[in-house]
Amino acid sequence: MKRFKLVVAYDGTNYCGWQIQPNGITIEEVLNKTLSDFLKEEIHIIGASRTDSGVHSFGNVAVFDSETTIPAEKLCFALNPQLPEDIRIVSSAQVADDFHPRYCDTRKTYEYHIQNGKIPLPTERLYSHLVIFPLDVEAMQEAGQYLVGTHDFKSFCASKTQAQTTVRTVTGIEVETHSLSEGEYPSQKVIIRVTGEGFLYNMVRIISGTLIKVGLGVYPPEHVKEILAACDRSKAGETVPAKGLFLKKIEYL
Amino acid sequence: MKRFKLVVAYDGTNYCGWQIQPNGITIEEVLNKTLSDFLKEEIHIIGASRTDSGVHSFGNVAVFDSETTIPAEKLCFALNPQLPEDIRIVSSAQVADDFHPRYCDTRKTYEYHIQNGKIPLPTERLYSHLVIFPLDVEAMQEAGQYLVGTHDFKSFCASKTQAQTTVRTVTGIEVETHSLSEGEYPSQKVIIRVTGEGFLYNMVRIISGTLIKVGLGVYPPEHVKEILAACDRSKAGETVPAKGLFLKKIEYL
């Protein structure tokens, strides 16, 4: 028996998230079925990040045990033709038998994608959140810096969390822009990139919702310090929609 | 009766192109029906560019005549809620009664989007063409410069064209890249941006297919001069898929 690690990319639009659940199709379910059919063994993957319904990924990680003799690095190329087009194995490798994708030190990078413009561009509708009023990106960038470091992120955690501690370390927040369209009502894409060693439930979406409020001028950038200090979910911005969120990569340290 | 100009963005994935045709739903058909229902007049739009099935747009132009008293600049905001999510009116304005979107001097900008990487990323599948071998972007950029100017583009025109002359003016070609994903098999997006005063049928897709061959090392960049001189469609690269093509904007000169 060998343990394999898969890096998994998906378009979350048509899935009820990662984790198997009774009311809809999930990434985990599709991977278990595809792997079991292909390898002719019953496979149960373990995922690194149980992304929510609608969240996209370029680099989630899944681990499974198998007797297969297919070379580990070739597995991705063998599996991809068996998978629906909206899920792809980006790479595959053999790992130590006791490697667990969640009980390791990791650095995760998420991106939150915003279309900032008056008119929702059709080709952006599935992969970004529309903000129609102009965003002050410099103010968002400044506000983000107050969140970098090891802090109690209770204000940035969905109240239904089961986490034992709400202290987490954010190692970097960057806000960048690209032009999307010109004309009477131009649009730009604003990307909030958050890197950290573990995140609380909905944390990146609440950080993004809070930085958007800063960008809109509702809060001055330094007000984010007070939100952090309050340890009160109701003080932060809204949990912005899942469709703008991308899990970009998980680095094992 | 007043004449209105609409700038129209769409996700071409689910349409059989712009122009009304018997075998499938088109952008023109949806706009005619939506405008007619909303304005309670029979509306027949005239489009600037009859984009092919699957091609996307950020800035096609349509013109129509109407008795409506809705202020021209507000029309886009009134129409958008009536349209399917994959079509949006980006702006609206009143124009001269004799303005015709095709019989004017224009500068059009198209982009061709390529995902360059070994594994097709799910969130790119509808909006880019996958090229799995590494592209030499500098060579593509150099090759593109041989096409800038006024030339006979017969080699870059679908053989079924009805055009009276195949001489066209390309004012600029740029090739740029953005990182999409890292890891074992990293991916980048390669964007070929072509600007010109009118294009032949499939011209941007054939230029892109030819620059891809240069990027793959099949041709040296300067071979593009010979392709141009040959005036023979069979000498150029393939017509790459529609889903990678975006009509970005049409400027009226």
Side-chain angles (χ1 to χ4, degrees):
Chain A
M1 207 70 144
K2 288 181 289 190
R3 181 156 281 200
F4 297 89
K5 171 180 173 240
L6 305 177
V7 178
V8 190
Y10 42 87
D11 177 340
T13 308
N14 297 318
Y15 295 94
C16 294
W18 177 274
Q19 195 173 16
I20 287 177
Q21 53 125 305
N23 303 317
I25 194 161
T26 64
I27 312 290
E28 185 179 21
E29 181 184 342
V30 172
L31 286 174
N32 279 344
K33 186 173 182 328
T34 303
L35 285 161
S36 299
D37 287 354
F38 183 71
L39 299 172
K40 300 186 174 59
E41 296 172 78
E42 192 170 318
I43 303 288
H44 295 281
I45 58 164
I46 309 169
S49 179
R50 301 179 189 121
T51 55
D52 277 340
S53 182
V55 172
H56 313 293
S57 165
F58 279 49
N60 206 344
V61 167
V63 151
F64 67 97
D65 296 320
S66 166
E67 304 280 5
T68 184
T69 57
I70 298 175
E73 300 69 33
K74 303 285 182 200
L75 253 184
C76 56
F77 297 103
L79 285 169
N80 280 334
Q82 319 297 323
L83 285 165
E85 274 195 322
D86 51 7
I87 303 180
R88 280 293 174 268
I89 311 299
V90 170
S91 65
S92 49
Q94 192 178 341
V95 287
D97 291 354
D98 63 349
F99 175 84
H100 191 290
R102 283 199 298 279
Y103 307 140
C104 286
D105 286 338
T106 59
R107 191 186 299 122
K108 289 183 185 168
T109 302
Y110 285 91
E111 285 182 359
Y112 196 81
H113 288 212
I114 297 157
Q115 186 210 325
N116 191 207
K118 276 215 172 1
I119 310 274
L121 291 173
T123 50
E124 286 297 318
R125 73 192 188 287
L126 304 174
Y127 307 112
S128 65
H129 170 51
L130 182 75
V131 175
I132 60 171
F133 295 106
L135 289 170
D136 179 342
V137 173
E138 279 183 37
M140 293 167 73
Q141 174 75 37
E142 184 190 338
Q145 301 327 299
Y146 298 118
L147 299 175
V148 174
T150 302
H151 303 286
D152 186 338
F153 282 96
K154 193 161 193 293
S155 296
F156 296 89
C157 177
S159 38
K160 65 169 172 168
T161 184
Q162 293 166 351
Q164 294 189 330
T165 164
T166 47
V167 174
R168 291 291 184 278
T169 299
V170 168
T171 52
I173 297 186
E174 295 159 36
V175 186
E176 63 176 47
T177 61
H178 305 284
S179 167
L180 278 173
S181 68
E182 301 171 35
E184 182 77 11
Y185 302 113
S187 264
Q188 64 174 350
K189 180 167 275 189
V190 178
I191 298 176
I192 301 170
R193 186 176 302 110
V194 185
T195 303
E197 298 164 8
F199 289 93
L200 298 161
Y201 189 54
N202 281 351
M203 183 166 150
V204 178
R205 289 163 63 188
I206 300 170
I207 288 176
S208 299
T210 305
L211 295 189
I212 288 169
K213 279 201 162 175
V214 171
L216 292 171
V218 179
Y219 309 143
E222 58 275 15
H223 180 61
V224 167
K225 285 192 282 188
E226 292 164 46
I227 297 173
L228 199 56
C231 287
D232 176 352
R233 169 68 189 93
S234 73
K235 302 296 185 198
E238 63 168 335
T239 305
V240 281
K243 67 175 182 174
L245 187 63
F246 291 75
L247 170 54
K248 288 288 280 189
K249 61 177 173 180
I250 303 177
E251 295 162 282
Y252 286 86
L253 306 175
Chain B
M1 206 70 143
K2 288 180 287 188
R3 182 157 281 200
F4 296 90
K5 172 181 171 238
L6 305 176
V7 178
V8 190
Y10 42 87
D11 177 339
T13 308
N14 297 317
Y15 294 93
C16 294
W18 177 273
Q19 195 172 14
I20 287 177
Q21 52 126 306
N23 303 317
I25 194 163
T26 64
I27 312 289
E28 185 180 18
E29 182 185 341
V30 171
L31 287 174
N32 278 344
K33 186 175 182 331
T34 304
L35 285 162
S36 299
D37 288 352
F38 182 71
L39 299 172
K40 300 187 174 60
E41 297 172 78
E42 193 170 316
I43 302 288
H44 296 281
I45 59 163
I46 309 168
S49 180
R50 300 179 191 123
T51 56
D52 277 340
S53 182
V55 172
H56 313 293
S57 165
F58 279 49
N60 207 344
V61 167
V63 152
F64 67 96
D65 296 319
S66 166
E67 304 281 4
T68 185
T69 56
I70 299 175
E73 300 69 34
K74 304 285 182 199
L75 252 184
C76 56
F77 298 104
L79 285 169
N80 281 332
Q82 319 296 323
L83 285 165
E85 273 195 325
D86 51 7
I87 304 179
R88 280 293 174 269
I89 310 300
V90 170
S91 64
S92 50
Q94 192 178 341
V95 287
D97 291 354
D98 62 349
F99 175 83
H100 190 291
R102 283 200 298 280
Y103 307 140
C104 286
D105 287 339
T106 60
R107 192 186 298 121
K108 289 182 185 168
T109 302
Y110 284 92
E111 284 182 359
Y112 196 80
H113 289 212
I114 298 157
Q115 186 210 324
N116 190 208
K118 276 214 172 1
I119 310 274
L121 291 173
T123 49
E124 286 297 318
R125 75 193 188 286
L126 304 175
Y127 307 111
S128 66
H129 171 51
L130 182 74
V131 175
I132 61 170
F133 295 106
L135 290 169
D136 179 341
V137 173
E138 278 183 38
M140 293 167 73
Q141 174 75 36
E142 183 190 339
Q145 301 326 299
Y146 297 118
L147 299 174
V148 175
T150 302
H151 303 287
D152 187 338
F153 282 95
K154 193 161 192 292
S155 296
F156 297 89
C157 177
S159 38
K160 65 170 171 166
T161 183
Q162 294 166 350
Q164 294 190 327
T165 165
T166 47
V167 173
R168 291 291 185 277
T169 299
V170 168
T171 52
I173 297 187
E174 297 160 33
V175 186
E176 63 175 47
T177 61
H178 306 285
S179 168
L180 279 172
S181 68
E182 301 171 36
E184 182 76 11
Y185 302 113
S187 264
Q188 65 174 349
K189 180 167 276 189
V190 178
I191 298 176
I192 301 171
R193 186 176 302 112
V194 185
T195 302
E197 298 164 7
F199 290 93
L200 297 161
Y201 189 54
N202 281 350
M203 183 167 150
V204 178
R205 288 163 63 186
I206 299 170
I207 288 176
S208 299
T210 305
L211 295 189
I212 288 169
K213 280 201 161 175
V214 171
L216 292 171
V218 179
Y219 309 143
E222 57 276 14
H223 181 61
V224 167
K225 284 191 283 188
E226 293 163 48
I227 296 173
L228 200 56
C231 288
D232 177 352
R233 170 69 190 91
S234 72
K235 303 296 185 196
E238 63 168 334
T239 307
V240 281
K243 67 175 183 174
L245 187 63
F246 291 74
L247 171 54
K248 288 288 282 189
K249 60 177 173 179
I250 304 177
E251 295 162 281
Y252 285 86
L253 306 174

